[in-house]
Amino acid sequence: MTKKILLYINANFTHFAIAYYLQKKYDCQLFAIIDITHKPKKFFEEQKLVKFEKIWYYHDNIKTDNEHNETFLKESEKKYNINLWKMIINERIFYRFFDFHKFTQDEILSIDDDACRLFEAVLDEVKPDYIITKEPVLHHLEIFYEICRARGIKVLMLS
């Protein structure tokens, strides 16, 4: 049976290289959430090295000006046993080390609302057997990891 593998790929191309070798060695379907800025996105759109069944670009799905739904966020916390505010308060981009923009509470909640909806939609569509990712260093990857764990998906994490 063909396994479905969802990779969380960022600007470090290690996970992209893993996908390349997985497709050569195993009968599997590869999917990706790509967490990169706009400039390197062109590489992923034009590359022919890895045949992904589908790609989602994290930043294309996250907005700071969307209406957030606090009920949805509270239900997500309960459903996945996560504490979003604990993650938010420890996010270095929201506080302390990011001088380019001071996020409002509404912007932060909009980001988390979009992230939770994206991750749920991807997982519902793919129904992956495995997730391959790196250790969470930003809170949205921690949210993704916790959702995967709560759903019983095997997470393979490089560190």
Side-chain angles (χ1 to χ4, degrees), residues 6-66:
L6 175 61
L7 293 103
Y8 196 99
I9 298 173
N10 65 1
N12 172 341
F13 279 66
T14 302
H15 292 86
F16 180 76
I18 289 170
Y20 176 77
Y21 284 100
L22 283 172
Q23 77 180 1
K24 287 183 165 290
K25 191 162 175 89
Y26 299 103
D27 178 25
C28 59
Q29 291 181 301
L30 300 174
F31 301 84
I33 298 174
I34 300 181
D35 185 356
I36 49 147
T37 56
H38 185 69
K39 200 170 192 180
K41 182 178 172 182
K42 186 175 181 179
F43 166 80
F44 290 102
E45 292 172 332
E46 296 176 357
Q47 66 86 21
K48 304 279 189 251
L49 298 168
V50 178
K51 182 188 175 290
F52 290 107
E53 301 293 322
K54 188 166 181 181
I55 293 174
W56 293 264
Y57 294 96
Y58 176 79
H59 291 280
D60 288 353
N61 291 278
I62 306 302
K63 307 290 182 240
T64 58
D65 58 354
N66 287 346

Side-chain angles (χ1 to χ4, degrees), residues 127-139:
K127 296 179 180 41
D129 297 296
Y130 299 97
I131 303 292
I132 299 178
T133 185
K134 65 178 193 149
E135 282 183 306
V137 293
L138 297 172
H139 94 288

Side-chain angles (χ1 to χ4, degrees), residues 4 9 34 41 91 102 111 123:
K4 294 181 181 180
I9 298 173
I34 300 181
K41 182 178 172 182
E91 176 59 64
K102 296 295 179 204
I111 290 167
L123 294 172

